[in-house]
Amino acid sequence: MALRTVQQYVESLRDGRTVYFRGARVDDVTTHPVIGVAVRHAAIDYQMAEDPAHRELATLTAPDGERYSRYYQVPRSAEDQIARSALIERATAAGGTLVVLIKEIGTDALFSLLRTASAMDANGSPEYLPRVEAFYRHCRSNDLAIAVAQTDVKGDRSRGPAAQVDPDLYVRIVERRSDGIVVRGAKAHTSVSTNANELIVLPTRAMSEADRDYAVSFAIPIATPGLVLLASAYDSTAPERSPLEFPISARHKMMETTTVFNDVFVPWERVFLAGEYEFAGPLALAFVEHHRFTAVSYKLPLVDALVGAGLLMADFNGISKAGHVREKLVHLITYAETLRGLTHYAASRSRPREYGIAVPDPLYVNMAKYQFAHGYHEAVRNVQDIAGGALVTGPGAEDLESPETARYYEKFYAGRVGIEGRVRLQALSLVRDLVASEFAGYQEVLAVHAEGSLEAEKLALLRSYDTKPALDLVRRLARLDEGGIDAPGLAGQRQPAEKRNPK
Ligand SMILES: Cc1cc2nc3c(=O)[nH]c(=O)nc-3n(C[C@H](O)[C@H](O)[C@H](O)COP(=O)(O)OP(=O)(O)OC[C@H]3O[C@@H](n4cnc5c(N)ncnc54)[C@H](O)[C@@H]3O)c2cc1C
């Protein structure tokens, strides 16, 4: 089996996993009122693989004839990365601007593990690469959904793992046995873990010798004894929401967990790093190199929706020709298309790295991610401005369903000539969900923090930029290497060579 049906995916989640939601143990995530929304959202991945309209992009045929999910394609070229980005973008659009993520993030982790294990192999630790390869084949052949827990809870951010007062604030090895390791600690913000099959754990940062026990990476099934998932309580009213009032967030949800490892046993065949602290940083960085590219690919439908929301509301409000509105629309379009341009350019400049894996150009990936995150709130503000205050003062679904109140709303919320109140309110509901709902707040925090903070992107950007050509240029212009610099403002009044250089 290399492709599962939606039903097979949903059934696979009924495995006795330990999940808590708002203090109560969840018996079955698939029927839970809130987590069930996240399950159905994630199932889009399996629907797309079955759908003739998406099958070509969503799946591939292996040399042995097995059809498998394209997410699992190990990228070997720029073309592979371009196709991966197109699939992520399309799936996110099908998800109402919210990424599906159950294979996107897991395959990012698998690629980073293959690269790092291959580097470790070359460095005299050959045991890891066959384990990672076997796990990759297991996930691909069984079409598994994977969550990735990289971010530790971290405690005092100014201290490294071993320097924390409580040693459990980064996940660590507490016991090495002949058959495996025992790990303890907690990871934060783990997306899609409630509805994944496997969890990959990665180190979150570079580590020193003192952090040896924290340099750990492994994979475990979600139902592993000792693994406890504490589901996020934020934005948890989806089941009570009418799709009329919240067209996106009533149907689409991603669930994060605080992921606790209560002395969890991991057999050696699932351990990918166990004390080799010098590889913790490279593994963390390799994951980020893939995951930020995935991220900028899945931001595209969201920024497109902001552009569309601005255009639609400008039209419905009769203000499309106003100077300040045109300026905001230009800003929105430039914002979205700069992100698209940078994302595609990064993919087209992919270069092979360890294990022959093609990695998108990190400079342009980080520029894209920084540009997205830095400009997101301004783009939201522009849409809020164009749409008007009815985003937060308008009617609820019941108001529009009740003839007693609907007749007022339909009359008084009319827009420009030809736009009835009912139509304008329907558009406002969508725009509210995008820029003024609990879901919108989630997207704002996601923009700033997920896939790394703004500072992390700036650091990566500075690290990836080749300073030499720019420095060479200014050195040449300043004639630094010729031993002479023209004084500023003296252009055109150059002195004879012998005066400038008496020797
Ligand atoms: C919705 C959502 C989904 C996510 N999904 C996942 C996931 O699936 N898997 C996963 O592993 N992670 C996930 N993340 C985690 C994400 O990568 C982190 O939120 C991000 O790395 C920031 O970490 P933090 O939240 O602990 O914030 P912090 O690291 O505490 O950052 C808060 C502020 O402190 C600053 N700061 C932190 N440390 C230092 C320091 N030493 N010196 C100076 N300044 C510092 C930061 O720059 C930032 O300004 C998700 C996050 C969100 C919001």
Side-chain angles (χ1 to χ4, degrees):
M1 172 184 54
L3 287 174
R4 291 191 294 179
T5 63
V6 168
Q7 203 186 347
Q8 285 170 324
Y9 161 64
V10 171
E11 272 164 18
S12 73
L13 305 177
R14 297 191 187 112
D15 55 3
R17 57 191 56 206
T18 307
V19 179
Y20 287 87
F21 180 81
R22 288 187 178 269
R25 177 84 190 256
V26 176
D27 291 333
D28 181 349
V29 290
T30 69
T31 55
H32 187 270
V34 178
I35 303 175
V37 180
V39 172
R40 287 189 289 283
H41 172 73
I44 288 171
D45 176 84
Y46 295 96
Q47 278 157 8
M48 281 182 68
E50 288 174 358
D51 184 341
H54 302 302
R55 208 174 148 77
E56 193 63 27
L57 183 61
T59 63
L60 281 174
T61 306
D64 64 4
E66 191 179 59
R67 196 96 185 144
Y68 67 97
S69 168
R70 184 188 288 273
Y71 289 108
Y72 282 108
Q73 180 186 30
V74 176
R76 301 290 183 195
S77 64
E79 289 67 35
D80 291 348
Q81 288 290 12
I82 290 166
R84 178 174 170 86
S85 177
L87 171 59
I88 294 167
E89 184 178 352
R90 198 184 295 177
T92 307
T97 72
L98 185 64
V99 63
V100 176
L101 207 73
I102 51 166
K103 288 185 191 152
E104 291 88 327
I105 193 169
T107 47
D108 288 336
L110 283 169
F111 302 152
S112 65
L113 283 166
L114 286 167
R115 285 175 53 194
T116 310
S118 146
M120 292 173 81
D121 182 39
N123 198 50
S125 300
E127 66 274 33
Y128 293 109
L129 188 55
R131 292 181 195 167
V132 178
E133 287 176 326
F135 180 62
Y136 162 79
R137 282 193 299 274
H138 169 70
C139 294
R140 190 181 109 172
S141 306
N142 293 291
D143 204 19
L144 296 182
I146 309 174
V148 176
Q150 179 179 43
T151 312
D152 289 272
V153 289
K154 294 187 292 201
D156 183 339
R157 271 69 175 149
S158 68
R159 294 176 176 216
Q164 299 288 331
V165 174
D166 180 342
D168 297 338
L169 297 180
Y170 283 74
V171 170
R172 66 184 172 127
I173 301 170
V174 288
E175 195 186 340
R176 285 177 163 79
R177 295 179 7 191
S178 59
D179 50 351
I181 57 173
V182 177
V183 293
R184 185 185 301 164
K187 297 273 187 181
H189 328 298
T190 318
S191 295
V192 303
S193 43
T194 52
N195 47 286
N197 303 110
E198 291 278 348
L199 179 73
I200 296 178
V201 172
L202 299 174
T204 197
R205 52 174 287 164
M207 297 200 187
S208 65
E209 195 169 356
D211 302 320
R212 191 179 281 276
D213 288 340
Y214 297 88
V216 62
S217 173
F218 55 90
I220 45 174
I222 296 288
T224 298
L227 183 68
V228 177
L229 305 180
L230 306 173
S232 161
Y234 185 79
D235 192 21
S236 58
T237 55
E240 294 141 35
R241 289 180 196 158
S242 156
L244 188 65
E245 196 176 329
F246 296 97
I248 301 174
S249 61
R251 297 191 182 96
H252 300 288
K253 176 160 187 62
M254 197 158 71
M255 179 57 84
E256 279 75 34
T257 62
T258 300
T259 306
V260 180
F261 300 81
N262 265 336
D263 290 0
V264 172
F265 172 72
V266 187
W268 280 118
E269 63 267 24
R270 290 296 196 95
V271 177
F272 310 135
L273 185 76
E276 297 83 354
Y277 61 89
E278 65 277 29
F279 284 96
L283 176 54
L285 184 64
F287 170 66
V288 163
E289 284 179 338
H290 291 280
H291 191 49
R292 266 186 212 150
F293 173 68
T294 289
V296 290
S297 302
Y298 64 64
K299 304 303 183 191
L300 294 172
L302 182 62
V303 297
D304 288 346
L306 292 180
V307 178
L311 289 168
L312 191 72
M313 291 317 301
D315 177 32
F316 282 13
N317 289 348
I319 51 173
S320 292
K321 295 203 171 74
H324 78 95
V325 173
R326 290 168 72 87
E327 200 181 298
K328 284 165 188 133
L329 292 174
V330 166
H331 180 272
L332 283 165
I333 293 166
T334 309
Y335 172 65
E337 291 308 306
T338 303
L339 179 63
R340 178 166 279 104
L342 287 169
T343 304
H344 291 180
Y345 191 55
S348 72
R349 288 172 58 95
S350 297
R351 296 283 178 274
R353 300 273 289 278
E354 306 90 338
Y355 202 69
I357 291 182
V359 180
D361 189 322
L363 174 64
Y364 295 98
V365 169
N366 281 286
M367 281 171 62
K369 179 63 185 18
Y370 180 74
Q371 187 306 120
F372 164 78
H374 192 254
Y376 189 74
H377 290 66
E378 190 179 356
V380 165
R381 193 187 66 205
N382 282 333
V383 175
Q384 289 170 338
D385 184 343
I386 293 169
L391 287 176
V392 293
T393 62
E398 300 83 350
D399 294 305
L400 299 176
E401 278 155 2
S402 156
E404 257 177 84
T405 43
R407 63 198 173 105
Y408 295 122
Y409 282 113
E410 287 180 8
K411 175 176 169 58
F412 292 116
Y413 277 77
R416 67 153 168 85
V417 175
I419 299 298
E420 296 168 5
R422 184 185 48 79
V423 174
R424 183 161 166 267
L425 285 167
Q426 199 175 333
L428 274 167
S429 292
L430 172 73
V431 180
R432 183 204 297 131
D433 215 3
L434 267 177
V435 300
S437 64
E438 218 175 342
F439 173 72
Y442 173 86
Q443 287 284 21
E444 286 189 4
V445 176
L446 191 96
V448 174
H449 277 298
E451 312 101 18
S453 68
L454 283 160
E455 291 310 309
E457 280 129 38
K458 281 195 231 166
L459 279 177
L461 211 152
L462 282 170
R463 204 172 35 227
S464 322
Y465 183 72
D466 177 6
T467 55
K468 190 170 181 308
L471 280 175
D472 283 353
L473 175 65
V474 290
R475 290 187 78 86
R476 209 167 51 245
L477 292 173
R479 304 182 61 221
L480 287 184
D481 301 328
E482 293 170 26
I485 310 172
D486 287 345
L490 291 185
Q493 302 175 29
R494 292 161 62 96
Q495 296 177 326
E498 61 280 10
K499 283 201 175 170
R500 279 185 277 127
N501 190 1
K503 282 195 194 153

